[in-house]
Amino acid sequence: MRNSNEIWDFVEARKDPLIALSDAVWAVPELNFGEFRSVALHGATLENEGFRVTRDVAGLPTAIMGEAGEGGPVIAILGEYDALPGLSQQAGITEHRPLPGDGNGHACGHNLLGSASLLAATAVKNWLAATGTPGRVRYYGCPAEEGGAGKGFMVRAGVFDDVDAAISWHPFCFATIFPPAALANVRLDFTFTGRAAHAAAAPHLGRSALDAAELMNIGVNYLREHMLPTSRIHYAYQDAGGVAPNVVQARTVIRYTVRAAELEDMLALAERVRRVAEGAAMMTETTVTCAVISGMANLLGNPPLEAAMQANLERLGPPPFDAADQAFAREMQATFTEQDIASAFRQVGLPVDRDTALCDMILPYPTAAGPVILGSTDVGDVSWTVPTVQALGATCAIGTALHSWQMTAQGTSALAHKGMVHVAKIMAATATDLLSDPALLERAKQDHAAKLRQRPYVSPIPPEVQPPVLYPDQAAE
C-alpha cells in the first residue's frame, strides 16, 4: 500500500486522453454485441498508450485486450462500453430531451466504466515501467454486460485462465466497495407454437400460442409466492403473434429473466419456470421450446481484496467535487422524486440527508445496510474464475437511478469526469498493492480456492449457445 501516492500521480498524468475517450464513447452509444465504434475507440487508445493489443478476444469482434509488463503476476482490469436502448438524452441539461437518432443512451455509465478502467491500467503500465516491478497488467474491454453476458462467453473461452486477480468498478452515487451480492440470472426465450384459425368462424380449430403465453404468465405469478424473497422473475413479449384479433395466434415468443442470489438457486428456479411453460402448452394443446439467450453467475466476494481496496478508498478520500458540481447535482436532484433520493441513502445504510447532493465521504465496508443487491453483472462469472474485487465510483447526483435519462445526462459532466478519475486511482492502487505484495495476492487466492471447494462453478450458458453478434450491416437492415 506504500505505492498509493505514486500511482495516483500516474493516473493524473494520463487522465485527459481517457476523459476524452469516455466522452467519445458516450457520443456513439451501441447495444449488446454491436459496440464496433466503441471498441475501435478503445483499441486506438490502447495503441496510443503503448499496450500490446489483442482484438477479437474469445472470438467476439467487440472484445479487446491490451497487455503491458513482463513476468510476475497478471492483474486484469475490466472495462465495459455497451449502452441501453430508449435512453438517449442531451448531455448536461436537467430536463428530458432525447437526441435524434436510434434512441440509445449511456444510462448505466459504461462510457465512464471502460474509460476509468483503461486509465487505471495505463497508470499501472507506466508504474511497472518506471519501477521495474515484474508483473503484467491487462485491460479487458468486454462487450454486452447489459444482459448479453459478454464476460460469461469470455470466461467460457478461457481468456481469464492465466489471470491472477481481476479488478473492476461501476458508476454509482457513492464511493465504496461493490458488495458481492449481485444476482445470478438466465435469459430464456419460450416459443409457443399453435394453429392459426378464423377466430369467429372456426375458433374450435385454432390452438392459441398467445393463450399459452398468458397462461404461463399466470402460472409464474403464482410461483412467485413459493420462491426465495431475493429471487426475481421478469418477462417481456418478443412476438405476441400479430395484431389481428380475428386470427388465432399461431406463434408467440416471450422472454423471461430468472434471477436468484445463488447460482444453484437460480438454475433450480429456472427449471421450475420451464415446467410452468410446459404446463401452459399442455393446457392449450400447443408446443413450446425453450432457448437460453444468456446467463450470469452471482458474485463471489473476496475479503482480502475488498480490505485492500477499502484501505485505498479511505486513504484517498472522496472525489474532489467543487461548488459548480454541487450546483449541477442539485439541479439534477430537482428532477428526482423524494423516494429516489431517500432510497439511495437507505440502500447504503445512511440516514436520509436532503441537503447532500454529491458523495462527500467514503462509506465504511461492509455498509450498515449489509450486502446490497444491485441487479446482475457478468463480472460474476469472472469472480468464479479468479479472485475479483469491484469498486463503486461516485459519478452522479445522489438519487440518480441507473437506466434513467438523468444518468445519461450526467455522463459527460465535470462531476462524472472527476468521479471516474477518482475510481481509476482506487483500482490502480489496488493493482499495485497486488503486484508488490505477494502475501496479499496469496491470501486472495486462498480465499477464492476455499469458496470453489465448497461450490464449483457451473456456467449458466450452455456450451451450444453462441453470442448474437450484431454486425453493422445487420444493424442497418
Side-chain angles (χ1 to χ4, degrees):
M1 298 179 185
R2 62 186 182 277
N3 307 302
S4 295
N5 294 341
E6 185 179 18
I7 192 62
W8 295 339
D9 292 339
F10 283 105
V11 173
E12 284 287 331
R14 300 306 303 158
K15 68 180 182 181
D16 289 343
L18 275 300
I19 288 173
L21 171 66
S22 177
D23 289 355
V25 172
W26 184 95
V28 290
E30 298 165 298
L31 305 182
N32 280 350
F33 297 114
E35 313 94 331
F36 286 90
R37 290 174 292 178
S38 300
V39 75
L41 289 165
H42 278 253
T45 303
L46 285 166
E47 290 176 343
N48 290 339
E49 297 295 337
F51 285 86
R52 303 183 294 269
V53 179
T54 302
R55 290 178 168 79
D56 298 334
V57 174
L60 300 173
T62 57
I64 196 166
M65 189 268 283
E67 183 183 67
E70 301 292 341
V74 177
I75 306 302
I77 303 181
L78 312 178
E80 300 162 14
Y81 30 72
D82 56 326
L84 288 158
L87 288 165
S88 169
Q89 167 65 27
Q90 185 174 329
I93 65 170
T94 55
E95 62 178 282
H96 188 202
R97 193 181 301 168
L99 293 168
D102 57 19
N104 301 336
H106 272 287
C108 206
H110 291 185
N111 60 303
L112 299 162
L113 200 168
S115 302
S117 293
L118 207 164
L119 175 56
T122 299
V124 175
K125 176 186 78 68
N126 295 338
W127 175 85
L128 286 169
T131 61
T133 303
R136 285 168 285 166
V137 61
R138 291 180 185 166
Y139 170 75
Y140 284 92
C142 307
E145 189 277 338
E146 295 290 357
K151 296 183 197 68
F153 289 104
M154 294 168 75
V155 165
R156 197 178 70 178
V159 302
F160 301 106
D161 287 354
D162 63 342
V163 170
D164 291 282
I167 300 169
S168 191
W169 77 289
H170 200 281
F172 194 51
C173 52
F174 291 102
T176 185
I177 303 295
F178 192 125
L183 299 170
N185 79 32
V186 64
R187 288 192 175 194
L188 305 164
D189 273 6
F190 293 92
T191 300
F192 291 94
T193 303
R195 184 191 308 154
H198 194 296
H204 59 290
L205 299 179
R207 299 294 182 266
S208 174
L210 183 58
D211 285 356
E214 291 183 334
L215 284 167
M216 178 186 177
N217 292 338
I218 292 169
V220 171
N221 284 337
Y222 279 103
L223 178 61
R224 297 178 196 278
E225 183 184 357
H226 305 287
M227 65 187 199
L228 292 165
T230 51
S231 297
R232 303 285 186 270
I233 304 176
H234 331 284
Y235 67 92
Y237 280 96
Q238 308 299 298
D239 178 358
V243 296
N246 62 334
V247 176
V248 175
Q249 293 90 345
R251 183 178 184 272
T252 299
V253 182
I254 189 166
R255 178 168 295 176
Y256 266 79
T257 297
V258 180
R259 307 186 200 238
E262 301 292 342
L263 184 58
E264 59 266 36
D265 293 332
M266 182 275 290
L267 294 172
L269 183 58
E271 186 56 35
R272 295 177 73 188
V273 171
R274 285 188 179 96
R275 288 199 290 271
V276 171
E278 291 166 0
M282 290 177 64
M283 285 189 285
T284 54
E285 296 185 36
T286 60
T287 60
V288 64
T289 60
C290 177
V292 175
I293 304 303
S294 65
M296 302 177 185
N298 57 297
L299 281 165
L300 281 190
N302 193 283
L305 293 185
E306 290 154 13
M309 181 173 275
Q310 180 69 19
N312 285 312
L313 280 161
E314 292 173 358
R315 189 174 295 107
L316 182 60
F321 298 129
D322 61 21
D325 302 323
Q326 295 282 353
F328 177 59
R330 290 188 190 284
E331 291 178 20
M332 190 58 68
Q333 279 191 325
T335 71
F336 306 158
T337 67
E338 289 292 313
Q339 186 179 17
D340 291 333
I341 297 170
S343 177
F345 283 102
R346 291 170 181 151
Q347 191 175 27
V348 295
L350 293 177
V352 178
D353 180 1
R354 289 176 175 79
D355 294 325
T356 301
L358 283 173
C359 174
D360 60 359
M361 64 178 293
I362 297 300
L363 271 61
Y365 186 78
T367 66
V372 178
I373 294 174
L374 296 173
S376 302
T377 172
D378 57 8
V379 177
D381 296 88
V382 180
S383 74
W384 286 79
T385 307
V386 298
T388 301
V389 66
Q390 296 185 92
L392 289 169
T395 64
C396 57
I398 295 173
T400 304
L402 297 181
H403 299 196
S404 69
W405 69 262
Q406 290 98 330
M407 188 69 180
T408 309
Q410 295 173 78
T412 63
S413 65
L415 69 88
H417 294 159
K418 290 172 185 175
M420 70 164 265
V421 173
H422 178 268
V423 78
K425 291 180 179 180
I426 298 304
M427 291 188 290
T430 305
T432 57
D433 289 344
L434 286 163
L435 289 162
S436 56
D437 185 353
L440 170 61
L441 183 56
E442 183 58 29
R443 290 197 301 275
K445 288 184 172 183
Q446 289 178 358
D447 181 88
H448 186 258
K451 288 182 170 67
L452 289 183
R453 283 194 294 271
Q454 293 178 350
R455 295 178 298 169
Y457 172 64
V458 177
S459 174
I461 306 174
E464 69 274 9
V465 175
Q466 298 302 312
V469 175
L470 184 64
Y471 289 95
D473 57 342
Q474 295 172 315
E477 295 173 1

PDB file of all heavy atoms in Angstrom, residues 166-184:
ATOM      1  N   ALA A 166      -8.580  -9.981 -10.645  1.00  0.00           N
ATOM      2  CA  ALA A 166      -9.308  -9.065 -11.522  1.00  0.00           C
ATOM      3  C   ALA A 166      -9.899  -7.930 -10.693  1.00  0.00           C
ATOM      4  O   ALA A 166     -10.337  -8.122  -9.555  1.00  0.00           O
ATOM      5  CB  ALA A 166     -10.416  -9.794 -12.285  1.00  0.00           C
ATOM      6  N   ILE A 167      -9.929  -6.737 -11.306  1.00  0.00           N
ATOM      7  CA  ILE A 167     -10.423  -5.521 -10.653  1.00  0.00           C
ATOM      8  C   ILE A 167     -11.391  -4.836 -11.610  1.00  0.00           C
ATOM      9  O   ILE A 167     -11.144  -4.771 -12.815  1.00  0.00           O
ATOM     10  CB  ILE A 167      -9.259  -4.570 -10.318  1.00  0.00           C
ATOM     11  CG1 ILE A 167      -8.263  -5.250  -9.367  1.00  0.00           C
ATOM     12  CG2 ILE A 167      -9.772  -3.264  -9.706  1.00  0.00           C
ATOM     13  CD1 ILE A 167      -6.965  -4.485  -9.193  1.00  0.00           C
ATOM     14  N   SER A 168     -12.481  -4.325 -11.075  1.00  0.00           N
ATOM     15  CA  SER A 168     -13.412  -3.562 -11.899  1.00  0.00           C
ATOM     16  C   SER A 168     -14.138  -2.558 -11.021  1.00  0.00           C
ATOM     17  O   SER A 168     -13.816  -2.378  -9.844  1.00  0.00           O
ATOM     18  CB  SER A 168     -14.390  -4.491 -12.626  1.00  0.00           C
ATOM     19  OG  SER A 168     -15.111  -3.786 -13.614  1.00  0.00           O
ATOM     20  N   TRP A 169     -15.160  -1.901 -11.590  1.00  0.00           N
ATOM     21  CA  TRP A 169     -15.949  -0.914 -10.840  1.00  0.00           C
ATOM     22  C   TRP A 169     -17.265  -0.694 -11.553  1.00  0.00           C
ATOM     23  O   TRP A 169     -17.474  -1.230 -12.643  1.00  0.00           O
ATOM     24  CB  TRP A 169     -15.185   0.408 -10.716  1.00  0.00           C
ATOM     25  CG  TRP A 169     -15.191   1.263 -11.966  1.00  0.00           C
ATOM     26  CD1 TRP A 169     -14.533   1.023 -13.142  1.00  0.00           C
ATOM     27  CD2 TRP A 169     -15.907   2.493 -12.162  1.00  0.00           C
ATOM     28  NE1 TRP A 169     -14.784   2.026 -14.057  1.00  0.00           N
ATOM     29  CE2 TRP A 169     -15.616   2.948 -13.483  1.00  0.00           C
ATOM     30  CE3 TRP A 169     -16.760   3.266 -11.368  1.00  0.00           C
ATOM     31  CZ2 TRP A 169     -16.155   4.128 -14.010  1.00  0.00           C
ATOM     32  CZ3 TRP A 169     -17.284   4.444 -11.885  1.00  0.00           C
ATOM     33  CH2 TRP A 169     -16.976   4.875 -13.197  1.00  0.00           C
ATOM     34  N   HIS A 170     -18.134   0.115 -10.948  1.00  0.00           N
ATOM     35  CA  HIS A 170     -19.362   0.529 -11.617  1.00  0.00           C
ATOM     36  C   HIS A 170     -19.750   1.918 -11.145  1.00  0.00           C
ATOM     37  O   HIS A 170     -19.596   2.252  -9.966  1.00  0.00           O
ATOM     38  CB  HIS A 170     -20.524  -0.435 -11.342  1.00  0.00           C
ATOM     39  CG  HIS A 170     -21.607  -0.317 -12.370  1.00  0.00           C
ATOM     40  ND1 HIS A 170     -22.541   0.705 -12.351  1.00  0.00           N
ATOM     41  CD2 HIS A 170     -21.889  -1.060 -13.458  1.00  0.00           C
ATOM     42  CE1 HIS A 170     -23.347   0.582 -13.384  1.00  0.00           C
ATOM     43  NE2 HIS A 170     -22.978  -0.484 -14.081  1.00  0.00           N
ATOM     44  N   PRO A 171     -20.258   2.768 -12.058  1.00  0.00           N
ATOM     45  CA  PRO A 171     -20.761   4.079 -11.644  1.00  0.00           C
ATOM     46  C   PRO A 171     -21.911   3.956 -10.646  1.00  0.00           C
ATOM     47  O   PRO A 171     -22.746   3.063 -10.740  1.00  0.00           O
ATOM     48  CB  PRO A 171     -21.236   4.700 -12.967  1.00  0.00           C
ATOM     49  CG  PRO A 171     -20.410   4.028 -14.023  1.00  0.00           C
ATOM     50  CD  PRO A 171     -20.263   2.617 -13.538  1.00  0.00           C
ATOM     51  N   PHE A 172     -21.938   4.914  -9.731  1.00  0.00           N
ATOM     52  CA  PHE A 172     -22.933   4.922  -8.661  1.00  0.00           C
ATOM     53  C   PHE A 172     -22.967   6.347  -8.111  1.00  0.00           C
ATOM     54  O   PHE A 172     -22.271   7.232  -8.623  1.00  0.00           O
ATOM     55  CB  PHE A 172     -22.532   3.902  -7.582  1.00  0.00           C
ATOM     56  CG  PHE A 172     -23.591   3.540  -6.586  1.00  0.00           C
ATOM     57  CD1 PHE A 172     -24.852   3.139  -6.988  1.00  0.00           C
ATOM     58  CD2 PHE A 172     -23.321   3.578  -5.225  1.00  0.00           C
ATOM     59  CE1 PHE A 172     -25.831   2.787  -6.073  1.00  0.00           C
ATOM     60  CE2 PHE A 172     -24.284   3.228  -4.286  1.00  0.00           C
ATOM     61  CZ  PHE A 172     -25.550   2.835  -4.707  1.00  0.00           C
ATOM     62  N   CYS A 173     -23.741   6.583  -7.065  1.00  0.00           N
ATOM     63  CA  CYS A 173     -23.748   7.920  -6.469  1.00  0.00           C
ATOM     64  C   CYS A 173     -22.942   8.005  -5.176  1.00  0.00           C
ATOM     65  O   CYS A 173     -22.812   9.093  -4.606  1.00  0.00           O
ATOM     66  CB  CYS A 173     -25.182   8.401  -6.248  1.00  0.00           C
ATOM     67  SG  CYS A 173     -26.250   7.267  -5.348  1.00  0.00           S
ATOM     68  N   PHE A 174     -22.373   6.883  -4.724  1.00  0.00           N
ATOM     69  CA  PHE A 174     -21.492   6.871  -3.565  1.00  0.00           C
ATOM     70  C   PHE A 174     -20.193   6.156  -3.919  1.00  0.00           C
ATOM     71  O   PHE A 174     -20.165   5.330  -4.846  1.00  0.00           O
ATOM     72  CB  PHE A 174     -22.151   6.164  -2.370  1.00  0.00           C
ATOM     73  CG  PHE A 174     -23.303   6.908  -1.772  1.00  0.00           C
ATOM     74  CD1 PHE A 174     -24.610   6.535  -2.053  1.00  0.00           C
ATOM     75  CD2 PHE A 174     -23.093   7.995  -0.935  1.00  0.00           C
ATOM     76  CE1 PHE A 174     -25.693   7.214  -1.513  1.00  0.00           C
ATOM     77  CE2 PHE A 174     -24.172   8.687  -0.386  1.00  0.00           C
ATOM     78  CZ  PHE A 174     -25.471   8.298  -0.677  1.00  0.00           C
ATOM     79  N   ALA A 175     -19.137   6.445  -3.159  1.00  0.00           N
ATOM     80  CA  ALA A 175     -17.846   5.789  -3.339  1.00  0.00           C
ATOM     81  C   ALA A 175     -17.676   4.745  -2.241  1.00  0.00           C
ATOM     82  O   ALA A 175     -17.622   5.084  -1.058  1.00  0.00           O
ATOM     83  CB  ALA A 175     -16.708   6.812  -3.285  1.00  0.00           C
ATOM     84  N   THR A 176     -17.592   3.489  -2.648  1.00  0.00           N
ATOM     85  CA  THR A 176     -17.487   2.398  -1.690  1.00  0.00           C
ATOM     86  C   THR A 176     -17.075   1.130  -2.429  1.00  0.00           C
ATOM     87  O   THR A 176     -16.777   1.155  -3.616  1.00  0.00           O
ATOM     88  CB  THR A 176     -18.826   2.201  -0.940  1.00  0.00           C
ATOM     89  OG1 THR A 176     -18.675   1.209   0.070  1.00  0.00           O
ATOM     90  CG2 THR A 176     -19.947   1.800  -1.888  1.00  0.00           C
ATOM     91  N   ILE A 177     -17.065   0.020  -1.737  1.00  0.00           N
ATOM     92  CA  ILE A 177     -16.839  -1.282  -2.345  1.00  0.00           C
ATOM     93  C   ILE A 177     -18.143  -1.770  -2.961  1.00  0.00           C
ATOM     94  O   ILE A 177     -19.219  -1.608  -2.393  1.00  0.00           O
ATOM     95  CB  ILE A 177     -16.360  -2.304  -1.294  1.00  0.00           C
ATOM     96  CG1 ILE A 177     -15.078  -1.819  -0.595  1.00  0.00           C
ATOM     97  CG2 ILE A 177     -16.132  -3.676  -1.931  1.00  0.00           C
ATOM     98  CD1 ILE A 177     -13.871  -1.712  -1.486  1.00  0.00           C
ATOM     99  N   PHE A 178     -18.055  -2.356  -4.142  1.00  0.00           N
ATOM    100  CA  PHE A 178     -19.210  -3.016  -4.754  1.00  0.00           C
ATOM    101  C   PHE A 178     -19.470  -4.291  -3.955  1.00  0.00           C
ATOM    102  O   PHE A 178     -18.654  -5.206  -3.966  1.00  0.00           O
ATOM    103  CB  PHE A 178     -18.888  -3.358  -6.204  1.00  0.00           C
ATOM    104  CG  PHE A 178     -20.064  -3.774  -7.048  1.00  0.00           C
ATOM    105  CD1 PHE A 178     -20.345  -3.123  -8.232  1.00  0.00           C
ATOM    106  CD2 PHE A 178     -20.880  -4.840  -6.691  1.00  0.00           C
ATOM    107  CE1 PHE A 178     -21.411  -3.501  -9.043  1.00  0.00           C
ATOM    108  CE2 PHE A 178     -21.949  -5.234  -7.474  1.00  0.00           C
ATOM    109  CZ  PHE A 178     -22.215  -4.553  -8.657  1.00  0.00           C
ATOM    110  N   PRO A 179     -20.573  -4.373  -3.221  1.00  0.00           N
ATOM    111  CA  PRO A 179     -20.803  -5.565  -2.396  1.00  0.00           C
ATOM    112  C   PRO A 179     -21.004  -6.801  -3.265  1.00  0.00           C
ATOM    113  O   PRO A 179     -21.640  -6.734  -4.320  1.00  0.00           O
ATOM    114  CB  PRO A 179     -22.079  -5.223  -1.621  1.00  0.00           C
ATOM    115  CG  PRO A 179     -22.767  -4.184  -2.442  1.00  0.00           C
ATOM    116  CD  PRO A 179     -21.687  -3.399  -3.135  1.00  0.00           C
ATOM    117  N   PRO A 180     -20.461  -7.934  -2.855  1.00  0.00           N
ATOM    118  CA  PRO A 180     -20.594  -9.160  -3.664  1.00  0.00           C
ATOM    119  C   PRO A 180     -21.968  -9.786  -3.491  1.00  0.00           C
ATOM    120  O   PRO A 180     -22.120 -10.860  -2.919  1.00  0.00           O
ATOM    121  CB  PRO A 180     -19.487 -10.053  -3.110  1.00  0.00           C
ATOM    122  CG  PRO A 180     -19.338  -9.626  -1.689  1.00  0.00           C
ATOM    123  CD  PRO A 180     -19.620  -8.142  -1.664  1.00  0.00           C
ATOM    124  N   ALA A 181     -22.981  -9.087  -4.001  1.00  0.00           N
ATOM    125  CA  ALA A 181     -24.351  -9.553  -3.802  1.00  0.00           C
ATOM    126  C   ALA A 181     -25.178  -9.440  -5.068  1.00  0.00           C
ATOM    127  O   ALA A 181     -26.394  -9.323  -4.995  1.00  0.00           O
ATOM    128  CB  ALA A 181     -25.002  -8.754  -2.675  1.00  0.00           C
ATOM    129  N   ALA A 182     -24.549  -9.430  -6.226  1.00  0.00           N
ATOM    130  CA  ALA A 182     -25.303  -9.382  -7.477  1.00  0.00           C
ATOM    131  C   ALA A 182     -25.965 -10.734  -7.734  1.00  0.00           C
ATOM    132  O   ALA A 182     -25.465 -11.790  -7.329  1.00  0.00           O
ATOM    133  CB  ALA A 182     -24.383  -9.007  -8.638  1.00  0.00           C
ATOM    134  N   LEU A 183     -27.096 -10.694  -8.428  1.00  0.00           N
ATOM    135  CA  LEU A 183     -27.898 -11.892  -8.644  1.00  0.00           C
ATOM    136  C   LEU A 183     -27.421 -12.689  -9.857  1.00  0.00           C
ATOM    137  O   LEU A 183     -27.145 -12.114 -10.917  1.00  0.00           O
ATOM    138  CB  LEU A 183     -29.357 -11.493  -8.865  1.00  0.00           C
ATOM    139  CG  LEU A 183     -30.052 -10.756  -7.716  1.00  0.00           C
ATOM    140  CD1 LEU A 183     -31.397 -10.218  -8.175  1.00  0.00           C
ATOM    141  CD2 LEU A 183     -30.221 -11.661  -6.514  1.00  0.00           C
ATOM    142  N   ALA A 184     -27.369 -13.997  -9.703  1.00  0.00           N
ATOM    143  CA  ALA A 184     -27.215 -14.869 -10.871  1.00  0.00           C
ATOM    144  C   ALA A 184     -28.486 -14.772 -11.711  1.00  0.00           C
ATOM    145  O   ALA A 184     -29.588 -14.589 -11.179  1.00  0.00           O
ATOM    146  CB  ALA A 184     -26.991 -16.305 -10.423  1.00  0.00           C
TER     147      ALA A 184
END
